């Protein structure tokens, strides 16, 4: 369960809203070789002690830039998404902002209290009880004992761990420790909350409660910097986003514009989708079952091949076949997955389910799955196609992967497109209201 936080009117970004976090030209380098890294570390410490170390934009042997000249701002009440592939520098950036490590170049200016949710429960002492860890962690985040006393019951109630609060944390399940870590951090009521892949903690009921609490904090002025590989989470929660790739800032701005660029780089470029038609190599008869898939593509209402379906417009998924045997009855099974939602299967259709079987003679045919209109939201998808005989079910041919992109027909990204689960055709009308007695 996710509650959209993009619709909070009191926390919309304005030109004069207060900047609570400013990242200016931040760069951070690491060394891939352990021994050399230790040598560089001793060398740098000695230079610091002697006061002769200078910040440098040059890297030494075996070093690389984990972050390279990254700049952006976070304003009060804003939720900012941080996206990028593994190894792009997202977690490194959060650790710099949290003060856990220092940048080699650039500056980070923070206004107010920062609460990092980088690894839930990571700061807990396993020997101490949950109660003792709450006091220790909230003290580190700047709260007085009286403030912790006032919020203690709320933390325990939110974490849903009951009597286990007085048991050592080492006896907790990973879920219990994560819930307590989340509850402890958010009840410090920070000015800035750093969230790294932790919105999936607990069961669906607890995740819903977490998201509602985050929305409540935003209305009170808390700002969020959120890292997630789930584009849906980012688009629901955030107004704006920053896209990192190999330590460099690729783009920043409106969340859906940034996500569109990120998903194109991640899925389209990764799999080299260069053509609107997937052509299948011809099989020899010894490797064929009598009917072979030749191509897969999309067409419009005029039968013209289109590069991509558009949200809310007619599109036909076309499967061209070459048959050299007769089939009294066959069925096409289509399974479509949303790659921006971690490959979640979103649609399974077949003419078999519709009891609309297809007979085939020795000829060239094209089977069409017509969408009137296309209900998919803007994004990147992958389809698996299987042709079976009916009955008994026997596989004739298949296409394991046909990747395609669905675009916004108006080329305008926004809440009405990317944050919905699907496209809903609609009409608007104004009528005279009726009275209820």
């Amino acid at each position: 369960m996710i509650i959209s936080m993009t619709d909070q009117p009191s926390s919309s970004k304005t030109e004069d809203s207060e900047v609570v976090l400013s990242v200016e030209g931040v760069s951070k380098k690491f060394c891939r070789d352990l021994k050399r890294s230790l040598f560089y570390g001793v060398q740098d410490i000695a230079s610091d002690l002697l006061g002769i170390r200078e910040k440098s934009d040059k890297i030494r042997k075996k070093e690389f830039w984990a972050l390279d000249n990254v700049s952006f701002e976070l304003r009060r009440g804003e939720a900012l998404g941080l996206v990028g592939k593994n190894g792009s520098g997202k977690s490194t950036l959060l650790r710099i902002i949290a003060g856990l490590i220092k940048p080699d170049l650039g500056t980070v200016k923070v206004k107010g209290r920062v609460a990092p949710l980088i690894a839930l429960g990571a700061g807990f002492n396993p020997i101490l009880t949950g109660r003792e860890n709450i006091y220790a962690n909230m003290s580190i985040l700047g709260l007085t004992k009286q403030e912790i006393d006032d919020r203690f019951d709320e933390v325990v109630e939110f974490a849903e761990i009951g009597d286990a609060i007085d048991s050592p944390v080492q006896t907790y399940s990973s879920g219990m420790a994560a819930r307590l870590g989340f509850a402890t951090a958010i009840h410090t009521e920070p000015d800035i909350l750093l969230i790294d892949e932790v919105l999936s903690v607990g069961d669906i009921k607890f995740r819903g409660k977490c998201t509602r609490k985050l929305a409540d904090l935003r209305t009170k002025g808390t700002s969020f910097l959120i890292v997630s590989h789930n584009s849906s989470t980012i688009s629901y929660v955030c107004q704006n986003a920053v896209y990192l790739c190999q330590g460099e800032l690729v783009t920043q701005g409106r969340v859906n514009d940034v996500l569109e660029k990120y998903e194109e780089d991640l899925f389209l470029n990764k799999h080299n989708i260069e053509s609107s038609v997937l052509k299948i190599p011809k099989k020899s008869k010894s490797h064929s079952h009598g009917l072979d898939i030749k191509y897969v593509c999309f067409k419009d209402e005029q039968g013209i091949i289109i590069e991509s379906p558009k949200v809310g417009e007619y599109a036909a998924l076309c499967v061209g076949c070459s048959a050299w045997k007769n089939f009294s009855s066959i069925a096409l099974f289509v399974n479509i997955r949303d790659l921006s939602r971690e490959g979640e299967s979103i649609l399974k259709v077949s003419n078999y389910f519709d009891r609309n079987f297809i007979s085939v003679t020795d000829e060239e045919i094209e089977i069409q799955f017509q969408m009137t209109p296309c209900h998919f939201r803007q994004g990147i998808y992958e389809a698996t196609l299987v042709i079976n005989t009916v009955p008994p079910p026997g596989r004739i041919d298949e296409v394991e992967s046909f990747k395609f992109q669905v675009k916004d027909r108006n080329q305008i990204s926004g809440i009405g497109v990317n944050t919905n689960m699907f496209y809903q055709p609609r009409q608007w009308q104004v009528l005279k209201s009726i009275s209820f007695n």
Side-chain angles (χ1 to χ4, degrees):
M1 178 179 180
I2 298 178
I3 296 177
S4 174
M5 295 164 63
T6 58
D7 301 328
Q8 300 291 336
S10 61
S11 56
S12 59
K13 181 178 176 180
T14 59
E15 292 297 325
D16 59 349
S17 57
E18 181 183 7
V19 175
V20 294
L21 170 66
S22 177
V23 176
E24 301 174 2
V26 166
S27 298
K28 181 66 181 178
K29 54 189 174 184
F30 292 115
C31 183
R32 300 185 190 278
D33 184 88
L34 178 59
K35 289 183 179 180
R36 193 173 292 272
S37 176
L38 294 173
F39 172 74
Y40 289 156
V42 172
Q43 191 179 59
D44 291 341
I45 291 172
S47 299
D48 285 338
L49 291 175
L50 296 174
I52 58 175
R53 184 183 178 191
E54 296 181 358
K55 291 189 175 182
S56 172
D57 59 356
K58 301 184 183 300
I59 56 175
R60 296 166 288 193
K61 188 176 181 180
K62 296 289 186 179
E63 286 187 327
F64 68 98
W65 290 110
L67 290 171
D68 189 4
N69 194 29
V70 175
S71 301
F72 63 89
E73 291 181 339
L74 177 68
R75 298 175 183 272
R76 185 168 300 282
E78 180 186 2
L80 182 67
L82 192 57
V83 299
K85 297 188 296 184
N86 288 332
S88 61
K90 304 185 300 298
S91 295
T92 298
L93 181 57
L94 289 193
R95 283 168 168 77
I96 290 175
I97 295 171
L100 301 178
I101 56 177
K102 292 182 179 180
D104 290 303
L105 294 170
T107 59
V108 175
K109 299 176 183 178
V110 177
K111 186 173 183 179
R113 177 188 297 155
V114 178
L117 285 173
I118 296 174
L120 290 179
F124 287 165
N125 187 320
I127 300 175
L128 298 180
T129 66
R131 181 185 300 271
E132 291 165 337
N133 272 292
I134 289 174
Y135 276 87
N137 276 263
M138 296 184 86
S139 296
I140 291 172
L141 292 174
L143 272 68
T144 65
K145 183 178 183 303
Q146 184 58 52
E147 288 175 323
I148 302 173
D149 289 340
D150 294 340
R151 303 176 193 185
F152 180 82
D153 290 340
E154 294 180 31
V155 173
V156 176
E157 181 181 359
F158 192 95
E160 300 178 0
I161 59 174
D163 295 337
I165 191 63
D166 289 311
S167 301
V169 166
Q170 63 186 1
T171 65
Y172 289 9
S173 68
S174 58
M176 291 171 65
R179 293 201 305 271
L180 185 60
F182 190 96
T184 300
I186 62 175
H187 281 86
T188 61
E189 296 186 358
D191 296 286
I192 303 170
L193 193 58
L194 308 179
I195 305 174
D196 189 0
E197 294 288 1
V198 298
L199 288 181
S200 58
V201 58
D203 55 30
I204 188 169
K205 179 182 176 182
F206 187 78
R207 292 199 300 270
K209 184 164 69 170
C210 291
T211 313
R212 287 193 295 273
K213 181 63 177 179
L214 293 178
D216 179 59
L217 288 175
R218 264 197 65 196
T219 62
K220 297 177 181 178
T222 298
S223 304
F224 302 104
L225 186 57
I226 301 174
V227 170
S228 178
H229 287 101
N230 190 321
S231 297
S232 299
T233 298
I234 296 293
S235 64
Y236 272 102
V237 175
C238 301
Q239 305 151 298
N240 300 290
V242 171
Y243 171 23
L244 297 180
C245 182
Q246 296 181 338
E248 297 182 357
L249 194 153
V250 178
T251 186
Q252 60 180 309
R254 289 173 51 186
V255 63
N256 291 325
D257 296 332
V258 174
L259 287 177
E260 182 177 2
K261 172 62 177 172
Y262 168 56
E263 290 174 1
E264 285 181 354
D265 290 349
L266 185 62
F267 298 116
L268 292 183
N269 296 345
K270 176 181 177 181
H271 299 286
N272 298 318
I273 302 177
E274 299 175 351
S275 173
S276 55
V277 181
L278 175 64
K279 297 180 181 179
I280 313 298
K282 185 177 181 180
K283 296 186 181 71
S284 64
K285 284 196 174 184
S286 61
H287 291 87
S288 172
H289 296 287
L291 182 145
D292 302 322
I293 298 175
K294 298 195 305 177
Y295 63 84
V296 183
C297 65
F298 282 97
K299 292 183 179 180
D300 61 16
E301 287 183 283
Q302 285 72 45
I304 299 173
I305 294 175
I306 56 177
E307 179 184 354
S308 303
K310 290 185 171 60
V311 179
E313 292 188 359
Y314 174 95
L317 176 60
C318 304
V319 182
C321 303
S322 178
W324 53 273
K325 286 174 57 177
N326 295 337
F327 293 91
S328 60
S329 186
I330 65 171
L332 172 65
F333 293 83
V334 180
N335 180 21
I336 297 178
R337 295 176 296 279
D338 188 342
L339 295 182
S340 62
R341 294 177 184 268
E342 301 179 343
E344 177 185 359
S345 179
I346 61 167
L347 182 66
K348 291 183 179 181
V349 294
S350 172
N351 58 299
Y352 176 81
F353 303 144
D354 299 332
R355 316 307 293 176
N356 184 12
F357 305 128
I358 300 169
S359 62
V360 179
T361 58
D362 183 359
E363 59 183 345
E364 306 286 320
I365 65 168
E366 181 177 276
I367 305 173
Q368 291 193 354
F369 163 44
Q370 298 176 346
M371 296 180 284
T372 54
C374 174
H375 285 247
F376 299 139
R377 72 186 190 101
Q378 181 175 309
I380 314 294
Y381 297 86
E382 182 179 43
T384 298
L385 309 144
V386 177
I387 297 179
N388 280 358
T389 58
V390 181
R395 185 161 298 190
I396 304 175
D397 202 4
E398 66 178 321
V399 173
E400 292 186 358
S401 176
F402 171 58
K403 296 182 178 68
F404 62 94
Q405 183 179 21
V406 175
K407 296 184 177 180
D408 175 15
R409 57 181 170 175
N410 298 317
Q411 298 300 315
I412 300 173
S413 297
I415 287 176
V417 177
N418 232 30
T419 58
N420 291 324
M421 296 289 287
F422 61 91
Y423 170 75
Q424 172 60 56
R426 55 199 175 267
Q427 292 181 341
W428 302 96
Q429 189 175 14
V430 179
L431 301 174
K432 186 175 182 180
S433 64
I434 59 174
S435 300
F436 293 94
N437 296 325

